[in-house]
Amino acid sequence: MSEAQAFVDAVWRRALAPEPQLTVSEWADRHRVLDAKNAEPGPWRTDRVPYLREVMDCLSASHPAERVVLMAGAQLGKTEAGLNWTGYVIGHAPGTLLLIMPSLDMLRRNSKTRIDPLLSETRQLRPLVVEAKSRESGNTIAQKDFVGGSLIMTGANAPTGLSSTPCRYIFADEVDRYPASADAEGDPVNLAVMRTATFRGRKKIYLVSTPVIAGASRIEKAYLESDQRKYFVPCPHCGEFQVITWGHIVWDEGKPETAAFCCQSCGVLSPEAAKAGMLARGEWRATTPGDGRTVGFHASGLLSPFRTWGDMAVDFLASKDNPALLQVWVNTTLGEPFEDRASGDVDLEALIDRADDWGDDLPPGALAITAGADVQKDRIEVEIVAWGASEESWSLDYEILHGDTAQGEVWAALDRVLLRKYRVPGADHCLTIAAAAVDSGYRTNEVYTFCRSRTARRVWPIKGSPGPGVPPWPRRPPKQRRDTLTPFAIGVDGLKTSTLARLKLLGSGAGRCHFPPRDRDWFAGLALSERPIRKYKKGVPVVEWVRDNSIRNEPLDCRVYATGALHGLYATGYRLETAIGIIDAPKTAPVVIRSKFIGN
């Protein structure tokens, strides 16, 4: 055989050879490119996040696991691992992949900011995916067809997208932020999993999320059904393998930026600079047999190469006395579901005894004022709340404005309340109400009419949006229509949880609540009218707020709405530590008189 014939024969044989069997991490290291908007653009390097290697490889076609669960903190690359798997499916193991986001809005944003760059920046994938043309239905926001399969994207709140086409792969992102039910169809995850029934032995399901509430967390439940793997790293000094836990992060007193890891075996400190080497030599170890088909990983944010232990310590000190902030820290830093160990009922007598009277002027430390109004058939109830640093609060007024809310008189009275000015002690100016939230659940048209002409004063119509993971204030304002307003949907469950937790805090400081002497029924309405109860809906644990019908709940609702209004201020760029809304005092500053709660 001549040299030319040998060359042709080699090329022919190479072309006929089967595609090499890659794992997901090998595929990503070979092909994945991060776009310029990424924090670290350029070729993907699994060595940068070594704890993700085994997670990704369990998603490979050659691995026997059917379900891969990742319960993790923030800034760990958990979604990027899922995107690597998505690229691997398109380029190496084609089939129908269903990607589920918490909502359709998040899906649209994710498709443009994560999926499109994945396909455009990764050279191997470009020729495999249908071109994006105006008349081509195979490349849309919700669907990307490729050779041998299709990427279908939907929101967990869209039952049609969850229960139609059979699929081999499921990528369920941030499952703890899914609604309890997709309309009335049932649990979104269960609906999606049913679509993989015909792919027995060949299916892959990737469940990933930062957890939220203990006992009602989807990702926690799935992790507990798995073999519960933890990432063990060696001590640089004695070589003992162990899990990095918050209990073994220490720092010099008053210097959280010096945080280091204290070995459980030899007691020697390892500084932040040693983290990369520890992670590179780490390994996942199963801690329980599991169900035999699910591999589960718990990745604490303490593993993150993108955040320092010192930064985490600073954040911990800033949040440890504020239950709402502490929950966020536990969820996003430790990657653990939050369990409020002080979740029992508020001690009503102790709360009443803590009442204080700071006079007619604003209390020292007050920086901004918000209001929350609850509308009923025959009255409007409204609370005025002053806020200080770290959301310390003072209840300035609570008014019950009686009158037919279908008529204008009671709304005029509400307007007068919202125009009040409050004297700043020792100064020549007053604070006005910076923002107000008016519930639109009753007398909707009247609420819209009232708020429409007062939007410049930040008087906003709102509606309560229950459920886990709903933010206190929407991340994007609702689209407004010409003929009517669209209310802001606020996360009432989270706001109620933080409110009741704060009522138990004593003294002054972050998150503490202060009240003047008021009727006992008012305090009962604030502290005891509703409580969180864990229930099961079609096998899915959910936390529901259940009302005690013997106690009026308007004081709690008004406080929740006033707190929501504060978060609405945050959405405009306002920060409590920078006082705004200060006006020059009139020649005769109004005297503020507190009202008494009127019982049943």
Side-chain angles (χ1 to χ4, degrees):
M1 182 181 294
S2 67
E3 184 176 338
Q5 289 174 321
F7 175 78
V8 171
D9 182 70
V11 171
W12 177 76
R13 290 179 181 276
R14 189 179 305 145
L16 291 180
E19 188 76 17
Q21 290 300 307
L22 301 177
T23 64
V24 174
S25 66
E26 289 171 340
W27 180 91
D29 285 332
R30 181 178 296 190
H31 298 292
R32 177 81 192 277
V33 177
L34 302 174
D35 72 309
K37 294 181 180 179
N38 197 283
E40 296 185 357
W44 169 270
R45 294 176 296 134
T46 303
D47 287 343
R48 181 77 168 113
V49 282
Y51 50 83
L52 288 179
R53 185 181 304 277
E54 187 168 330
V55 177
M56 292 190 289
D57 289 350
C58 288
L59 291 165
S60 305
S62 59
H63 196 279
E66 286 188 357
R67 189 167 64 153
V68 178
V69 175
L70 177 56
M71 181 173 72
Q75 298 188 36
L76 284 165
K78 55 185 183 294
T79 299
E80 291 297 337
L83 293 174
N84 286 340
W85 180 48
T86 301
Y88 168 88
V89 168
I90 296 172
H92 192 73
T96 301
L97 188 154
L98 175 65
L99 170 58
I100 311 169
M101 297 297 293
S103 68
L104 290 172
D105 284 343
M106 290 187 67
L107 155 68
R108 297 183 187 101
R109 188 163 61 252
N110 183 75
S111 181
K112 293 179 180 179
T113 61
R114 310 295 286 274
I115 299 299
D116 286 347
L118 167 69
L119 301 179
S120 63
E121 298 295 325
T122 307
R123 180 178 300 177
Q124 187 216 19
L125 302 182
R126 292 178 204 159
L128 301 178
V129 180
V130 171
E131 288 187 56
K133 297 179 179 178
S134 59
R135 296 183 180 180
E136 180 56 72
S137 61
N139 191 327
T140 64
I141 289 179
Q143 183 169 336
K144 309 290 183 181
D145 291 340
F146 53 88
V147 177
S150 183
L151 171 62
I152 300 172
M153 294 169 279
T154 189
N157 56 347
T160 302
L162 295 170
S163 58
S164 52
T165 308
C167 57
R168 180 181 175 185
Y169 306 113
I170 292 177
F171 175 9
D173 198 11
E174 292 299 345
V175 295
D176 267 21
R177 285 154 182 81
Y178 289 5
S181 178
D183 290 342
E185 299 286 336
D187 176 45
V189 175
N190 290 339
L191 287 174
V193 169
M194 290 174 61
R195 295 180 58 176
T196 66
T198 57
F199 292 92
R200 186 174 181 84
R202 296 188 297 140
K203 62 186 177 183
K204 290 284 183 181
I205 301 168
Y206 180 43
L207 303 180
V208 59
S209 187
T210 298
V212 183
I213 301 295
S217 166
R218 280 190 179 91
I219 200 68
E220 177 194 31
K221 180 177 181 292
Y223 177 73
L224 293 177
E225 293 169 349
S226 75
D227 54 6
Q228 298 179 36
R229 303 183 186 193
K230 299 181 184 297
Y231 200 66
F232 285 73
V233 298
C235 170
H237 306 281
C238 69
E240 183 71 20
F241 275 78
Q242 58 209 281
V243 178
I244 300 177
T245 61
W246 182 247
H248 292 89
I249 299 294
V250 298
W251 56 85
D252 298 336
E253 185 175 355
K255 297 180 178 180
E257 65 277 5
T258 65
F261 175 69
C262 180
C263 176
Q264 303 170 38
S265 180
C266 68
V268 178
L269 297 182
S270 296
E272 178 70 31
K275 184 198 292 185
M278 296 167 69
L279 295 180
R281 297 165 57 201
E283 60 186 42
W284 288 100
R285 297 179 182 178
T287 61
T288 185
D291 62 8
R293 63 185 185 88
T294 304
V295 294
F297 303 86
H298 173 229
S300 167
L302 297 170
L303 301 176
S304 175
F306 312 112
R307 291 185 68 201
T308 68
W309 292 326
D311 289 341
M312 298 175 198
V314 170
D315 290 345
F316 170 74
L317 294 176
S319 62
K320 66 184 180 67
D321 295 325
N322 187 328
L325 297 178
L326 181 61
Q327 176 183 336
V328 173
W329 185 87
V330 169
N331 293 159
T332 60
T333 299
L334 301 186
E336 297 176 358
F338 182 73
E339 183 174 4
D340 185 3
R341 293 177 175 83
S343 59
D345 289 342
V346 177
D347 186 333
L348 181 61
E349 300 304 326
L351 185 64
I352 295 173
D353 290 342
R354 282 164 41 198
D356 187 20
D357 195 339
W358 51 82
D360 292 331
D361 290 346
L362 283 170
L367 300 173
I369 305 173
T370 65
D374 184 70
V375 181
Q376 300 294 327
K377 180 180 180 179
D378 60 350
R379 67 192 185 283
I380 299 174
E381 301 195 20
V382 56
E383 185 182 19
I384 315 274
V385 182
W387 301 93
S390 300
E391 296 188 12
E392 185 172 11
S393 65
W394 295 264
S395 182
L396 302 180
D397 284 306
Y398 191 90
E399 299 285 357
I400 300 179
L401 310 172
H402 292 280
D404 183 356
T405 51
Q407 305 299 320
E409 291 82 358
V410 69
W411 293 100
L414 175 62
D415 193 45
R416 289 192 292 272
V417 170
L418 298 182
L419 286 170
R420 285 179 181 168
K421 301 171 184 177
Y422 293 82
R423 290 180 299 211
V424 177
D428 294 329
H429 54 254
C430 295
L431 285 184
T432 59
I433 294 172
V438 184
D439 182 37
S440 63
Y442 189 80
R443 300 292 192 201
T444 303
N445 291 333
E446 285 78 3
V447 172
Y448 291 170
T449 298
F450 180 79
C451 295
R452 183 181 292 107
S453 60
R454 294 167 177 83
T455 54
R457 286 164 43 194
R458 301 190 187 94
V459 179
W460 295 309
I462 58 97
K463 67 175 181 179
S465 180
V470 181
W473 195 262
R475 296 182 177 91
R476 292 190 299 174
K479 293 182 179 179
Q480 302 297 340
R481 294 175 293 179
R482 289 185 178 181
D483 54 336
T484 184
L485 289 179
T486 302
F488 292 83
I490 66 173
V492 290
D493 285 4
L495 290 170
K496 289 175 183 177
T497 299
S498 63
T499 296
L500 293 193
R502 288 172 173 179
L503 294 181
K504 301 169 190 173
L505 300 177
L506 303 177
S508 299
R512 271 64 177 181
C513 302
H514 307 279
F515 308 97
R518 285 199 181 122
D519 189 285
R520 178 188 182 86
D521 289 342
W522 183 85
F523 281 102
L526 177 68
L528 302 179
S529 60
E530 297 186 34
R531 66 184 64 189
I533 303 294
R534 187 173 301 149
K535 294 184 176 182
Y536 287 84
K537 288 188 174 181
K538 298 183 179 180
V540 179
V542 295
V543 174
E544 284 190 358
W545 284 81
V546 178
R547 180 179 175 181
D548 184 338
N549 290 324
S550 66
I551 304 175
R552 290 173 56 183
N553 69 338
E554 287 86 356
L556 175 60
D557 285 343
C558 289
R559 172 54 65 110
V560 164
Y561 303 154
T563 310
L566 177 65
H567 284 270
L569 275 181
Y570 293 159
T572 69
Y574 172 84
R575 294 295 176 265
L576 272 171
E577 284 67 20
T578 306
I580 63 171
I582 298 177
I583 63 171
D584 293 333
K587 294 180 180 179
T588 304
V591 176
V592 177
I593 302 175
R594 296 187 181 91
S595 63
K596 293 291 185 179
F597 176 76
I598 302 173
N600 291 319

